[in-house]
Amino acid sequence: MSDDTAAKTQKTAALYFAGVQDEKPYDLWRSFDKELAKDMSLFITGKVYARERIPHATRQLVTVAALTVLSRLDELRLHIQAALNVGCTPTEIAEVMFQTMIYGGVPAANAGLKTLKEVLVEKGLWPLPKET
């Protein structure tokens, strides 16, 4: 990979995962295979997530929707934090999860909302302000 891809990887990872205390996938991969972890990170973060064809907030809301429907709660937790980091509001993230009820089922959406609430509590963003 080029120096440009490495720079994009670092920039995008910093944008998405700043302040995330949970183990990041890269760290997990690296504990098993440093070279493969680097290759995967350069591709996923430096090539896919760094693309500017859709805004980062949109990309994260799509990711949150997919992970909610699939009930991949560890990854969802990470991407809720990334969504907040790129400017998505808790209300937008919750609304995406409510939308997934139609396609992924109520249990998957409920698990997603529970994960969202846990992240918001940890970040001091819960309870949400009352709507007027």
Side-chain angles (χ1 to χ4, degrees):
M1 295 275 173
S2 69
D3 288 342
D4 183 51
T5 301
K8 284 182 180 179
T9 301
Q10 289 177 336
K11 180 181 174 185
T12 304
L15 173 66
Y16 280 32
F17 306 121
V20 172
Q21 299 301 312
D22 299 324
E23 182 178 45
K24 298 170 196 78
Y26 173 77
D27 297 327
L28 177 63
W29 306 333
R30 194 168 188 269
S31 68
F32 289 95
D33 188 319
K34 290 180 184 179
E35 285 303 309
L36 184 58
K38 179 181 174 185
D39 291 343
M40 291 174 64
S41 181
L42 288 169
F43 175 71
I44 294 168
T45 309
K47 290 287 190 177
V48 178
Y49 275 87
R51 291 167 57 100
E52 296 183 3
R53 295 188 176 169
I54 59 174
H56 288 292
T58 302
R59 190 173 301 280
Q60 281 305 303
L61 291 175
V62 169
T63 303
V64 164
L67 292 170
T68 299
V69 168
L70 294 170
S71 292
R72 302 300 197 263
L73 302 181
D74 288 339
E75 286 286 319
L76 177 60
R77 179 181 184 74
L78 177 71
H79 284 280
I80 287 169
Q81 293 174 79
L84 293 168
N85 284 347
V86 298
C88 298
T89 67
T91 302
E92 290 170 329
I93 297 167
E95 189 63 25
V96 164
M97 291 177 178
F98 283 119
Q99 181 69 26
T100 68
M101 283 181 179
I102 300 165
Y103 304 100
V106 173
N110 285 345
L113 288 164
K114 182 178 178 183
T115 302
L116 172 59
K117 183 177 177 182
E118 290 169 359
V119 170
L120 295 176
V121 166
E122 289 170 9
K123 292 189 166 293
L125 300 173
W126 187 264
L128 295 177
K130 298 288 183 204
E131 291 185 19
T132 56

